[in-house]
Amino acid sequence: MAKQPRAWQRMLSGRRLDLLDPTPVDIEIEDIAHGLAFVARWNGQTRGDWPYSVAEHSLLVETLFSRLCPRASAADRLTALLHDAPEYVIGDMISPVKAAVGPEYGKLDDRLSAAIHIRFGLPALTAKTLKRQIKKADTVSAWMEATEIAGFSKDEADRFFGHPSAEIREGLTIGPRPPVEVREEFTRRHAELLGQL
């Protein structure tokens, strides 16, 4: 009889997260914040002395989402902050790689998202309207990252992501930071939003 491959990961918190059947009880924000702070966006192909992490990206997306939807609830803002949370265990794949992997990546992402959302008191499935609004903020973030640290010209970024308004980006810049700083900020922002639910 063939031995089943291991489908779980041991977290620094001591939790054992089953990737095929994740449960909310095995989700800890410290594991998410730590993992996301050490996962590089753009496959690490960014300028600076530190990789631009998914945690930094998530903080920016939540800020942009709050600007796009100023009357959004704390739950909606928390959903925006956690929009890429599954990447703490499955990593950040650029869109061309996701397309090559196929639909199984999306199914894994959906299972992890549902467990994460339930763990923090959010609906397991994100409403389509909210998902679209978060995606708009995500796309603005991608344009900013592409032009500021990933080597894209503005014309090239416009073709892939559209050209966001200057107003929505006003005062925001991208500067990769040490993972420890980003981990702490992500954890702090999560606690603030959770406290407002």
Side-chain angles (χ1 to χ4, degrees):
M1 186 192 248
K3 185 178 177 183
Q4 291 291 329
R6 180 172 65 93
W8 56 268
Q9 180 176 346
R10 176 72 62 196
M11 298 292 141
L12 289 177
S13 65
R15 298 285 188 189
R16 191 172 103 163
L17 182 65
D18 185 333
L19 300 177
L20 299 179
D21 187 23
T23 61
V25 76
D26 290 321
I27 307 290
E28 297 292 344
I29 192 58
E30 293 80 10
D31 293 330
I32 293 172
H34 182 83
L36 294 182
F38 283 88
V39 173
R41 296 254 307 154
W42 304 94
N43 279 348
Q45 298 301 304
T46 53
R47 295 184 189 99
D49 293 333
W50 303 100
Y52 186 73
S53 72
V54 175
E56 284 190 88
H57 163 77
S58 297
L59 287 161
L60 178 58
V61 168
E62 192 261 322
T63 298
L64 290 164
F65 170 77
S66 295
R67 288 181 176 192
L68 289 166
C69 304
R71 292 202 283 281
S73 68
D76 291 348
R77 293 192 313 271
L78 182 58
T79 303
L81 181 69
L82 296 172
H83 79 284
D84 279 339
E87 294 179 8
Y88 86 110
V89 287
I90 60 177
D92 178 43
M93 289 191 202
I94 59 174
S95 296
V97 175
K98 286 180 187 175
V101 170
E104 292 307 311
Y105 178 88
K107 290 176 186 174
L108 179 58
D109 186 273
D110 290 344
R111 283 193 299 269
L112 285 163
S113 284
I116 291 164
H117 286 181
I118 292 168
R119 169 66 175 87
F120 299 115
L122 300 169
L125 297 176
T126 303
K128 288 181 183 179
T129 302
L130 177 57
K131 197 175 248 189
R132 278 194 301 272
Q133 292 166 331
I134 293 170
K135 186 61 181 171
K136 285 180 187 175
D138 193 35
T139 303
V140 174
S141 178
W143 185 92
M144 292 175 66
E145 295 164 24
T147 58
E148 292 184 38
I149 58 170
F152 284 57
S153 70
K154 288 185 178 179
D155 287 341
E156 187 178 27
D158 288 351
R159 282 197 307 276
F160 288 106
F161 309 112
H163 189 84
S165 73
E167 182 181 14
I168 200 68
R169 298 178 282 120
E170 186 177 350
L172 299 175
T173 57
I174 295 188
R177 297 177 288 156
V180 172
E181 284 180 27
V182 181
R183 179 182 68 201
E184 289 172 1
E185 185 179 339
F186 186 94
T187 305
R188 185 171 51 251
R189 184 61 181 148
H190 177 269
E192 289 169 358
L193 292 170
L194 202 58
Q196 295 171 25
L197 295 183

